[in-house]
Amino acid sequence: MAIHPQSTLPEGGKARRVYLLLRDDIANDRYSEGALLPGEHRLAERFDVSRVTVRRALGALADDGWIEKRTGAGSMVLPRDRADAQIAANFATLIPQLVEFDKRTTARLLSFSYGPAPAGVAAALGLAKSSKIQTAVRVRFSDGKPFSHLTTHVPEDIARSYDEADLATQPLFRLLERSGVRVESAHQSVTATLAAPDVAEALGVSVGSALLSLRRVVRDADGRGVEHLSALYRPDLFRLEMSLTRVGADEARHWEPVIGPREE
């Protein structure tokens, strides 16, 4: 049986906490495929909650496809669908990899509009407060499963070179280059956030689920901001990796990221 993310967490704050902690244990292989979870009494003691709360959390896990509740035998961890394997990206080379993802995955355009730039976006792109931008919201799919929610902001004069149909079928980087933009640099940051209701619905996860959050500002050869991206990724389908190497000598020896192929 494959895991299918549910649309809502179990009712009650304590039940949600138990659900999320057990789901994390299973996702991180603390309970292997086919293993039995501890009984309701032991779980109630572990989490300092009532058995009713544990039962509610286990019911949600069963509905979600993480476990199978067997009468008289307990709750067994179900195998995960291989199609749910994570997409891996190296943090040191993330931008070119994300461009490749755009080529190998499909996207669904949820909204497309023009309007005043939000204050934070205007500041990041170096735009005047009265500047207009084109805002698009897309969901990207891999093997039919939604794994990222993308919100892009592009200055109006650049965005007018492509339309809604273009954005629904082509990667944004390609459209920017087609409009004459020479992408030169970018700054990006990665943190974590929780899924708001609209994002949760689009990604097929529970409201309040943890998501990877990536912010990126792209600049052209003249240093002008040409794209502001807010990307949200499902951590069960997407992960960031980084290869490290030890450099230096004696007390100055330390870890540094490996960027690109290492020369012998």
Side-chain angles (χ1 to χ4, degrees), residues 113-118 121 125 127 131-135 153-156 159:
S113 62
Y114 285 88
V121 172
L125 292 176
L127 301 174
S131 299
K132 286 189 176 182
I133 57 168
Q134 182 265 304
T135 299
H153 304 284
V154 176
E156 181 181 26

Side-chain angles (χ1 to χ4, degrees), residues 59-264:
L61 287 169
D63 291 341
D64 205 10
W66 292 92
I67 64 172
E68 180 182 347
K69 298 181 70 177
R70 296 184 171 184
T71 304
S75 301
M76 186 186 73
V77 175
L78 291 172
R80 283 197 276 175
D81 192 334
R82 291 184 180 274
D84 286 336
Q86 290 179 318
I87 298 172
N90 191 304
F91 191 82
T93 57
L94 184 58
I95 286 186
Q97 284 182 292
L98 291 179
V99 174
E100 286 301 312
F101 292 159
D102 284 350
K103 297 177 182 178
R104 294 188 285 106
T105 59
T106 59
R108 178 184 300 163
L109 184 63
L110 301 184
S111 65
F112 182 95
S113 62
Y114 285 88
V121 172
L125 292 176
L127 301 174
K129 293 182 179 180
S130 59
S131 299
K132 286 189 176 182
I133 57 168
Q134 182 265 304
T135 299
V137 179
R138 291 170 292 160
V139 173
R140 192 158 289 282
F141 295 79
S142 176
D143 295 325
K145 297 181 181 295
F147 74 93
S148 66
H149 182 279
L150 312 172
T151 302
T152 54
H153 304 284
V154 176
E156 181 181 26
D157 62 309
I158 298 174
R160 290 295 182 185
S161 65
Y162 59 86
D163 59 21
E164 189 172 353
D166 290 328
L167 193 57
T169 58
Q170 298 185 54
L172 181 55
F173 262 98
R174 186 176 300 166
L175 297 176
L176 292 176
E177 291 173 347
R178 191 183 74 180
S179 68
V181 172
R182 291 178 53 207
V183 173
E184 181 71 21
S185 63
H187 178 270
Q188 62 192 12
S189 61
V190 177
T191 184
T193 191
L194 302 178
D198 59 331
V199 174
E201 181 179 2
L203 291 180
V205 299
S206 304
V207 174
S209 293
L211 300 174
L212 286 173
S213 174
L214 182 146
R215 295 287 181 93
R216 184 172 73 216
V217 176
V218 179
R219 302 189 182 281
D220 65 11
D222 297 321
R224 179 193 180 191
V226 295
E227 179 198 356
H228 182 283
L229 167 70
S230 297
L232 302 172
Y233 295 91
R234 281 177 50 171
D236 59 327
L237 297 181
F238 182 84
R239 69 177 184 269
L240 293 172
E241 300 177 339
M242 177 175 284
S243 297
L244 303 173
T245 185
R246 292 286 282 176
V247 299
D250 301 327
E251 294 184 2
R253 193 166 175 78
H254 62 279
W255 292 107
E256 281 192 0
V258 177
I259 301 178
R262 296 182 61 180
E263 297 182 0
E264 300 297 329

